[in-house]
């Protein structure tokens, strides 16, 4: 899909978009040259053609949703369990 010399984008640590240039392709891996002089080898599935595509792929942090609105306001309520009606023998 990508060719040698093409500029591509990838995610670093699943949150930062990095720009690089393809310098070699071998065995489904792309060798990339970074702007700071470093290099990295990545699979095609981790590369994006545009910066916008890479930004869309950034995973949003998981935020649990609770039905109890007091949890969101910081007021935790502990529910009391009913007392047993009879003692098991």
């Amino acid at each position: 899909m990508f060719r040698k010399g093409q500029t591509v984008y990838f995610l670093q640590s699943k949150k930062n978009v990095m720009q690089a240039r393809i310098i070699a392709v071998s065995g489904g891996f792309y060798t990339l040259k970074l702007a700071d002089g470093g290099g990295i080898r990545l699979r095609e599935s981790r590369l994006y053609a545009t910066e916008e595509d890479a930004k869309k792929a950034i995973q949003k942090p998981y935020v649990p949703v609770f039905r109890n609105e007091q949890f969101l306001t910081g007021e935790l309520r502990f529910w009391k369990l009913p007392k047993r009606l009879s003692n098991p023998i």
Side-chain angles (χ1 to χ4, degrees):
M1 178 177 174
F2 300 106
R3 288 177 273 173
K4 186 176 175 180
Q6 186 176 356
T7 300
V8 293
Y9 300 88
F10 67 96
L11 296 180
Q12 178 188 32
S13 301
K14 297 183 182 180
K15 60 182 178 178
N16 299 325
V17 177
M18 301 291 289
Q19 180 181 0
R21 182 171 306 268
I22 298 174
I23 58 172
V25 181
S26 176
F29 284 90
Y30 291 79
T31 304
L32 307 175
K33 180 81 168 178
L34 304 176
D36 64 1
I40 189 170
R41 291 187 72 183
L42 296 174
R43 289 191 180 273
E44 183 177 351
S45 61
R46 299 210 30 216
L47 302 179
Y48 301 93
T50 64
E51 188 174 1
E52 290 78 25
D53 290 342
K55 286 182 180 179
K56 288 178 188 175
I58 295 175
Q59 296 178 355
K60 305 293 182 203
Y62 174 72
V63 178
V65 178
F66 297 95
R67 292 184 183 201
N68 187 357
E69 291 182 14
Q70 283 91 22
F71 185 82
L72 299 176
T73 61
E75 298 176 20
L76 292 176
R77 292 185 180 207
F78 296 96
W79 302 97
K80 292 184 178 179
L81 297 174
K83 292 183 180 181
R84 290 188 183 182
L85 298 176
S86 63
N87 264 339
I89 298 176

